[in-house]
Amino acid sequence: MKKRPNFLFFITDQQRADWLGCYGHPVLKTPNIDSIAARGTRFDNFHAASPVCMPNRASLLTGRYPSVHGLRYNGCVLPENACTFVDVLADAGYHTAAIGKSHLQPFTGIAPMGKDPKDIAAAPEAWKDTRLAQYEEEPEHYQGEERYDIKTPYYGYQHVDMVTSHGDRCGGHYQQWFRENAEDWEALTNPKNELPHNYSCPQAYRTPIPEDLYPTGYIRDRAIDYIRARADQDEPFFAFVSFPDPHHPFNPPGKYWDMYSPDDFDVPLPFQAHKNPTPPMRWLHDQWKNGGGQATPQTAMMLGAQQIKEAMALSAGMMAFIDDAIGDILKSLEESGQLDNTVICYNSDHGDYLGDFNMMLKGALPFRSITRVPFIWSDPDGPSEPSSDALCSTVDLAATILDRAGLKPFNGNQGQSFLPATQGGQGPRGEALVEYNDGGNRLGFDLPARVRSLVTPEWRYTVYRDQDWGELYDLTNDPNETENLWDSPDHQSVRAQLSERLVHQLIAQMDESPQADRLA
């Protein structure tokens, strides 16, 4: 009987689809990630369920949209009783591991925007059991010298090596390891000891932390340790290897800081490239020109061309480190004799505007730069086509991985397996829903933005709650989304058709779990 396949799932944070060599980036070199694509299928039309970290990662694990699984926006939590596809794999005999960033629970103790924790605690909720006894990713657990033992299974994971936050000062198990292995750890994390540089990009600083002590190096080494430990085991494994980069702050360590120069990059879509900017775009432009700043370090902003090119160069440095790390992990997989029975995936949780219309980071405006992400599937069984234009969503990953493992999803899963598309067949869907919910009112919105988009191969249609404007882009003739056709008289019938299709998608956002067990 043929052994069930292992799964090695790489995921990055805040990486656009076009920021890989195999996706045609003209500057960035990613030979190791490209080698995965060379052995498998590169998906060119893969979209996040939500272009923000926590909701999309919860959609990945549950195969459900944020409005159904409950982790609606960053700062919420995926309920402990949520079933994940990792649970299904573990129940079927897989050994499951999460190495690196998880972010299914808050990893700060900071109160939400404009709210008092006491008021939140005092307010009754619609459901009686809503708060976890403790958040496993919060900083307080990792302050001691003894390694903190996360309660497992953690959303299905039996082995957890936690890395929280971003940049060179990550938390979790990494922080405990860092304090133990860096003799001068306090000096290395003191902002006074940052290395000099001539960049002016916000959140760019040159870390004194060496490469092997940086979070990417830690995740690389823990993944290699895990793969080697599984080499002589009978049970197959699912390993989720998650890098917090490329993400602000922009601080690749060591040689990766100046591996790329800002002069290597262009800003092909300045603000002026958009023919009729939406109100939030105009608001961001006004903030930029009038020195308004950001509401939080995570809030979208606009920058000048030079600062954007600096961010690009440093993001490329982060990606180069990740690519080297993945190369080392793949080498260990091959040396351990497990390469020929391991499905390898590469993905990111969402993208980054990264200069499109002078915007940076992510936000309520669901341009393809933040919703379209890389996805690569390399299957030792093949056959595969080099690329696929099948429209796929993060919610489809759970069903696809379980399909490959010969297992069925749990009731309430909303995704569809695209396994045939990994073998040259058709994808399962003609349209994808993208949800965005903000935790605070930003980008000029009076209330926290609630946004729903319908993406088809030809169109992107977006509705903003309680706004008398929206977005409609012709992706065939305007793939860079530079002209909003919402008010175009010639496109009212298209808008009506997409509006009806979006209504059907929203009607489908009813939780089908639990099933009824009586007629009435």
Side-chain angles (χ1 to χ4, degrees):
M1 182 176 178
K2 188 170 183 178
K3 186 178 179 182
R4 292 174 294 175
N6 303 313
F7 292 91
L8 177 57
F9 195 107
F10 294 113
I11 186 168
T12 56
D13 198 337
Q14 204 158 295
Q15 182 191 358
R16 308 161 48 121
D18 54 6
W19 264 65
L20 285 173
C22 58
Y23 277 86
H25 196 281
V27 178
L28 178 62
K29 306 300 181 186
T30 51
N32 295 298
I33 298 169
D34 296 354
S35 74
I36 303 173
R39 296 192 299 264
T41 301
R42 182 196 71 233
F43 282 78
D44 294 333
N45 208 5
F46 191 101
H47 285 265
S50 180
V52 68
C53 180
M54 295 183 72
N56 193 67
R57 286 170 181 256
S59 290
L60 192 164
L61 282 192
T62 63
R64 289 147 68 87
Y65 287 97
S67 56
V68 174
H69 63 57
L71 208 172
R72 304 173 301 279
Y73 48 80
N74 278 2
C76 296
V77 61
L78 183 62
E80 283 187 310
N81 62 345
C83 190
T84 71
F85 80 87
V86 185
D87 284 310
V88 179
L89 289 174
D91 289 344
Y94 272 79
H95 192 272
T96 56
I99 301 166
K101 183 183 175 186
S102 173
H103 214 185
L104 300 170
Q105 298 179 3
F107 54 49
T108 77
I110 302 171
M113 293 176 62
K115 295 185 178 180
D116 188 322
K118 294 180 180 178
D119 294 338
I120 296 172
E125 294 282 2
W127 297 98
K128 293 180 180 179
D129 297 322
T130 58
R131 306 288 178 205
L132 274 59
Q134 66 178 27
Y135 294 145
E136 299 285 358
E137 302 189 28
E138 279 200 329
E140 63 187 44
H141 303 308
Y142 303 94
Q143 300 308 308
E145 294 183 3
E146 294 294 324
R147 179 182 170 89
Y148 175 66
D149 289 329
I150 289 177
K151 184 178 68 175
T152 55
Y154 186 69
Y155 299 106
Y157 292 113
Q158 299 152 333
H159 170 87
V160 180
D161 211 312
M162 182 67 68
V163 179
T164 63
S165 196
H166 303 98
D168 64 339
R169 296 164 197 166
C170 287
H173 291 134
Y174 162 77
Q175 186 183 81
Q176 292 187 299
W177 171 89
F178 179 80
R179 292 197 304 264
E180 181 180 349
N181 287 272
E183 293 181 1
D184 53 350
W185 69 269
E186 289 179 301
L188 288 172
T189 55
N190 189 329
K192 295 180 180 179
N193 295 322
E194 292 169 6
L195 304 177
H197 65 85
N198 59 358
Y199 285 0
S200 63
C201 174
Q203 301 189 55
Y205 62 87
R206 191 164 191 175
T207 178
I209 293 175
E211 295 156 21
D212 284 346
L213 292 177
Y214 188 83
T216 297
Y218 174 82
I219 294 166
R220 171 200 63 205
D221 294 344
R222 300 295 78 73
I224 290 172
D225 290 345
Y226 178 79
I227 287 170
R228 288 174 176 167
R230 301 308 305 170
D232 57 354
Q233 302 298 312
D234 291 332
E235 57 187 347
F237 68 78
F238 175 86
F240 185 79
V241 179
S242 178
F243 297 98
D245 283 352
H247 192 285
H248 54 286
F250 306 105
N251 57 6
K255 67 182 181 183
Y256 298 103
W257 173 271
D258 52 10
M259 182 171 285
Y260 290 89
S261 166
D263 295 338
D264 296 334
F265 298 90
D266 296 315
V267 182
L269 285 175
F271 179 74
Q272 293 76 14
H274 203 288
K275 297 177 182 178
N276 48 348
T278 58
M281 294 177 72
R282 296 197 299 269
W283 185 90
L284 281 169
H285 188 264
D286 290 343
Q287 289 289 105
W288 170 35
K289 292 301 182 182
N290 296 317
Q294 296 172 276
T296 71
Q298 315 306 329
T299 303
M301 58 182 167
M302 285 191 182
L303 295 177
Q306 180 59 29
Q307 291 178 319
I308 289 170
K309 290 193 288 185
E310 291 171 1
M312 288 178 172
L314 297 177
S315 295
M318 294 180 189
M319 278 307 308
F321 195 0
I322 291 170
D323 186 73
D324 286 345
I326 286 177
D328 291 337
I329 296 169
L330 294 177
K331 182 179 178 181
S332 73
L333 185 70
E334 183 174 15
E335 291 175 346
S336 68
Q338 301 175 93
L339 177 63
D340 292 339
N341 193 44
T342 301
V343 175
I344 303 171
C345 301
Y346 183 91
N347 191 208
S348 187
D349 55 4
H350 57 80
D352 190 313
Y353 296 130
L354 206 55
D356 284 3
F357 312 117
N358 284 100
M359 297 190 299
M360 287 292 301
L361 311 186
K362 58 189 180 291
L365 301 168
F367 286 101
R368 282 158 58 89
S369 54
I370 66 168
T371 70
R372 180 174 168 259
V373 292
F375 183 76
I376 302 168
W377 175 282
S378 177
D379 195 319
D381 275 5
S384 62
E385 293 295 322
S387 64
S388 172
D389 61 0
L391 182 61
C392 301
S393 166
T394 300
V395 295
D396 299 325
L397 285 170
T400 304
I401 291 170
L402 291 177
D403 190 4
R404 180 63 179 86
L407 302 169
K408 294 186 179 299
F410 50 81
N411 176 54
N413 175 82
Q414 295 178 286
Q416 304 171 65
S417 172
F418 58 85
L419 190 61
T422 70
Q423 302 165 346
Q426 297 297 309
R429 60 171 70 245
E431 58 196 29
L433 175 68
V434 180
E435 297 187 359
Y436 178 86
N437 307 297
D438 209 335
N441 50 313
R442 294 181 274 197
L443 275 61
F445 288 96
D446 293 331
L447 296 172
R450 299 288 181 265
V451 188
R452 298 294 182 268
S453 292
L454 190 74
V455 178
T456 75
E458 298 84 18
W459 303 96
R460 194 258 285 179
Y461 171 79
T462 301
V463 177
Y464 297 79
R465 186 188 68 177
D466 294 335
Q467 304 298 317
D468 59 5
W469 56 273
E471 291 177 290
L472 175 65
Y473 291 98
D474 181 348
L475 301 180
T476 301
N477 297 305
D478 181 24
N480 291 325
E481 300 172 300
T482 63
E483 183 177 11
N484 183 8
L485 301 173
W486 180 268
D487 291 324
S488 166
D490 295 336
H491 294 85
Q492 293 307 296
S493 62
V494 173
R495 181 175 152 186
Q497 293 167 8
L498 293 171
S499 174
E500 182 176 347
R501 288 307 311 156
L502 179 60
V503 168
H504 284 284
Q505 285 282 347
L506 297 180
I507 290 173
Q509 299 311 302
M510 180 186 79
D511 198 343
E512 301 286 353
S513 177
Q515 296 185 67
D517 59 2
R518 298 291 189 277
L519 180 61

